[in-house]
Amino acid sequence: MCSKYHALNQIIASILVNSIYAMINYPVVLINTLLAPLSLLIIVTFASHGTLLPIAAEGAIIMNVISSGTSLQGDLSHLKNDMKVQEMIVSSPTGAGIYVTGMAISELVYSIPTLSVLVILNIIFVKVTYLAGLYICMDVGVVFIFSTSLGFLLSTFSSDIVESWAFSGILSPLLATIPPVYYPISYIPYPYRYLAYLSPTTYAAEIAQSAAGLVYISYVNLILAWGILISVTFFVLFIAITRSRWVDV
Amino acid sequence: MHIEVKKISKIYENNKYALKGISLDIDANGVFSIIGKNGAGKTTLVRILATQLMPTSGYAKINGYDLLTESKKIRRFIAAVPQEARTIPWLTPIQTVLSYLMWRGYSYSEAKEKAKDSLRMLNLEDIENKKTRKLSGGQKRKVIVATILASDATLIFLDEPTTGLDYLSRKELWNLLYTMKKDRLIILTTHYLEEAENLGDTICILNKGRVVDMGTILELRKKIKYSYCMKVFSNDFKISNLDGYIKRVSSNEIQIFTSGKYVYDIANRLISEKIRFTFQEVSLTNIFEFLLEDDIDVQ
């Protein structure tokens, strides 16, 4: 491929615009990304007299990754609807896949300071083997693909920033705050436990908690959790690829 | 650059026709100005040609590439500035241009060099490190144009690029477009008819989703019967046996559209009656009004 159309440069452009330059020009955004996962972590830790700290520390990473998806949705909508950047990108050699990949990575780059703090907390309070750590990273990686696919899909349908804020406001509590991400599912009384299983993050949290030895899940349930998490992720990814609107109709 | 458009139509979801079987054949560099009233279909046409919007029917080819099936190839040599494009407020001008060029595939170092050159050409180098949210409206618009100028695109779509700019800023952009159009095709939509007339090598008049007329300003002048427009500043000037149109603009101004032969006679009469007047060849504004307005008094 001609260097002029090099995909890496196009991905770097998205990362520069959506994270690096924002952090350089407005360092205050670093505090913004840190506060949401840390505040819930602190509340759950204090409310449980410290007993739930390891689970909450793992949950904070999952919430952070979900936040990447909701932020992606907001950022893409903002760039598309308010600045018409997406239209300029459409009429350029950058394709939808490259643009969204770059923007999704930019959300990760944006949350590097937060992730660093959370990883340190996890190393201190959730003692896992390297293998289990890798296993949890895979779990978090699938959640990242799920949340960013959902974010991209919704961004292509939002017509203005108010709608985009509404999507973010709905997604965050439904996927990260209410489901048992910061605490074990056993804390939820039975009739409501079934509702918790409607959120894919419940499965992701169970997988991470069991890998760290914080809760016990049978192999059957573990396989089921992976199966559902991966299926939902592929389904959302498929819908995002096939139904999202890069070119208006 | 060659654009061939055949019977392109666009119907939006609310069953509103935006374009009704538009056909065009553009085969040259320069500026192709599209003018028309609000809702004429200018932006829809530009968005379709810039591969941002799917037509409902019809087809188009750009440099031989099919708009619907080969849009990826087309996107390598096109660039577009949408009507409501804004600068990203948290970026500086240099960061804005640089990142757009990287989206077009340039490496960081190449993009930075080109971005600096482009900003220099638009006299924006003094503010290249200032956040764009702190710039004036004209400066922001120039930054957006700088991104396109810096690119290697040979087909550029500018949808009302000077809307909201003061006269001097517009003139500055016009000068830039004069330079840019030498080796590129610029498709320009505008509400400023003076802009379309000054810049447009070809002018296309759209109305209600159809091409009303198209050609150079000289060709368009020939489309209307009368080649001169006289402005007469009087509230009681009467004329009979005129071969032309009279249009009342205000209580003390009328416009007389007539041929060169009559201009001389009318001018003599106006001089003898000491009535103030001007005359000139019909402008694009006059042509536009003739072609689109129904409220012209015919004598």
Side-chain angles (χ1 to χ4, degrees):
Chain A
M1 183 181 268
C2 172
S3 68
K4 272 186 162 181
Y5 307 114
H6 205 286
L8 185 63
N9 294 333
Q10 295 165 336
I11 288 174
I12 292 171
S14 298
I15 297 169
L16 284 174
V17 168
N18 205 41
S19 55
I20 307 279
Y21 287 149
M23 289 193 281
I24 291 171
N25 297 342
Y26 294 92
V28 71
V29 298
L30 298 173
I31 300 168
N32 171 44
T33 62
L34 201 61
L35 274 183
L38 276 187
S39 52
L40 265 175
L41 173 66
I42 290 165
I43 290 166
V44 172
T45 304
F46 286 160
S48 68
H49 301 290
T51 55
L52 290 180
L53 174 59
I55 288 180
E58 274 194 332
I61 289 187
I62 292 174
M63 184 189 194
N64 190 256
V65 170
I66 288 291
S67 296
S68 293
T70 54
S71 300
L72 179 71
Q73 186 270 134
D75 292 343
L76 288 175
S77 299
H78 188 39
L79 290 172
K80 182 184 84 155
N81 298 319
D82 301 331
M83 281 157 269
K84 305 291 173 192
V85 170
Q86 190 170 306
E87 285 185 20
M88 290 180 75
I89 303 295
V90 171
S91 300
S92 85
T94 300
I98 294 289
Y99 177 63
V100 175
T101 303
M103 293 298 280
I105 296 172
S106 81
E107 298 296 345
L108 270 190
V109 172
Y110 197 73
S111 57
I112 279 177
T114 311
L115 278 175
S116 306
V117 172
L118 294 176
V119 166
I120 290 168
L121 285 176
N122 272 269
I123 290 169
I124 296 170
F125 297 108
V126 188
K127 294 176 178 63
V128 291
T129 61
Y130 287 118
L131 201 66
L134 197 68
Y135 182 78
I136 293 169
C137 283
M138 275 170 55
D139 178 39
V140 172
V142 175
V143 177
F144 177 69
I145 295 170
F146 162 76
S147 69
T148 49
S149 304
L150 188 63
F152 174 54
L153 179 68
L154 292 176
S155 76
T156 63
F157 287 101
S158 77
S159 52
D160 60 58
I161 195 69
V162 177
E163 199 173 27
S164 157
W165 287 335
F167 284 146
S168 295
I170 293 165
L171 284 185
S172 246
L174 282 185
L175 292 173
T177 316
I178 301 169
V181 171
Y182 278 84
Y183 56 93
I185 194 161
S186 55
Y187 278 44
I188 302 178
Y190 241 105
Y192 305 107
R193 207 175 284 186
Y194 297 114
L195 283 176
Y197 280 116
L198 290 175
S199 168
T201 46
T202 300
Y203 304 98
E206 274 195 329
I207 292 166
Q209 289 162 11
S210 74
L214 300 170
V215 296
Y216 171 74
I217 300 175
S218 68
Y219 278 116
V220 175
N221 283 344
L222 195 61
I223 290 166
L224 199 66
W226 269 113
I228 292 171
L229 181 62
I230 289 172
S231 304
V232 170
T233 300
F234 269 103
F235 176 72
V236 175
L237 184 64
F238 175 75
I239 297 287
I241 290 169
T242 54
R243 302 300 298 270
S244 56
R245 292 179 187 167
W246 181 244
V247 174
D248 287 338
V249 289
Chain B
M1 187 60 59
H2 184 208
I3 300 180
E4 187 190 357
V5 177
K6 284 272 182 234
K7 294 181 180 173
I8 288 268
S9 291
K10 179 68 192 175
I11 310 167
Y12 285 113
E13 283 169 357
N14 54 5
N15 285 331
K16 191 195 160 209
Y17 261 97
L19 295 178
K20 295 175 183 170
I22 294 248
S23 293
L24 297 170
D25 198 329
I26 311 165
D27 192 11
N29 285 340
V31 173
F32 184 86
S33 300
I34 303 174
I35 56 173
K37 293 180 188 174
N38 288 329
K42 302 184 295 293
T43 297
T44 302
L45 178 61
V46 162
R47 291 196 68 217
I48 287 173
L49 294 177
T51 73
Q52 296 165 5
L53 179 68
M54 296 290 280
T56 307
S57 62
Y59 81 92
K61 282 188 172 182
I62 300 181
N63 265 4
Y65 297 118
D66 188 288
L67 192 74
L68 300 179
T69 58
E70 295 175 293
S71 54
K72 276 186 184 173
K73 287 176 184 165
I74 293 171
R75 286 172 185 151
R76 289 182 180 181
F77 59 85
I78 65 168
V81 175
Q83 193 180 111
E84 290 163 356
R86 304 272 181 277
T87 49
I88 300 171
W90 61 87
L91 301 186
T92 63
I94 186 90
Q95 290 167 347
T96 304
V97 183
L98 184 151
S99 43
Y100 177 74
L101 291 176
M102 287 188 75
W103 266 317
R104 294 197 69 88
Y106 287 98
S107 69
Y108 181 85
S109 53
E110 278 177 317
K112 192 167 184 181
E113 197 179 319
K114 276 185 154 283
K116 278 186 169 290
D117 286 347
S118 172
L119 291 170
R120 200 179 308 119
M121 275 184 73
L122 281 165
N123 299 319
L124 293 170
E125 70 264 44
D126 292 342
I127 53 156
E128 67 178 31
N129 290 314
K130 208 172 168 180
K131 282 168 196 147
T132 55
R133 71 178 174 84
K134 291 181 178 169
L135 305 182
S136 69
Q139 286 172 324
K140 286 177 187 170
R141 208 68 198 162
K142 279 163 78 178
V143 169
I144 292 174
V145 175
T147 61
I148 300 296
L149 173 69
S151 80
D152 54 352
T154 48
L155 173 57
I156 292 170
F157 298 92
L158 299 175
D159 195 3
E160 296 182 20
T162 56
T163 299
L165 293 189
D166 61 63
Y167 184 72
L168 290 177
S169 298
R170 268 194 283 148
K171 288 271 279 185
E172 215 172 334
L173 268 179
W174 294 356
N175 290 336
L176 178 71
L177 294 178
Y178 271 122
T179 318
M180 285 172 74
K181 76 177 189 176
K182 283 172 190 160
D183 51 358
R184 311 173 202 222
L185 173 60
I186 300 169
I187 309 281
L188 172 87
T189 76
T190 181
H191 277 296
Y192 300 109
L193 300 179
E194 179 197 8
E195 182 169 288
E197 185 171 351
N198 285 337
L199 286 174
D201 297 288
T202 307
I203 299 158
C204 173
I205 303 172
L206 285 187
N207 192 35
K208 294 175 183 168
R210 287 201 170 94
V211 175
V212 175
D213 225 318
M214 195 172 82
T216 63
I217 184 70
L218 294 175
E219 287 167 345
L220 289 175
R221 277 192 185 123
K222 285 177 189 163
K223 299 278 171 75
I224 61 170
K225 194 175 171 186
Y226 303 105
S227 50
Y228 285 90
C229 171
M230 300 184 81
K231 283 183 185 173
V232 179
F233 302 96
S234 167
N235 55 6
D236 59 352
F237 181 73
K238 296 276 189 305
I239 190 164
S240 54
N241 299 326
L242 170 75
D243 180 18
Y245 297 118
I246 291 184
K247 182 185 178 189
R248 180 160 294 282
V249 178
S250 64
S251 59
N252 65 342
E253 182 189 336
I254 57 167
Q255 285 183 347
I256 302 170
F257 295 91
T258 186
S259 55
K261 185 171 86 175
Y262 285 90
V263 166
Y264 184 77
D265 293 342
I266 298 168
N268 270 341
R269 202 186 127 192
L270 288 165
I271 290 166
S272 66
E273 290 180 26
K274 293 183 179 167
I275 295 172
R276 197 161 62 89
F277 72 98
T278 63
F279 73 95
Q280 60 175 44
E281 275 191 295
V282 287
S283 64
L284 184 59
T285 306
N286 303 137
I287 297 166
F288 186 79
E289 285 173 352
F290 263 111
L291 293 171
L292 301 185
E293 297 276 333
D294 301 315
D295 56 347
I296 296 169
D297 298 329
V298 181
Q299 266 204 350

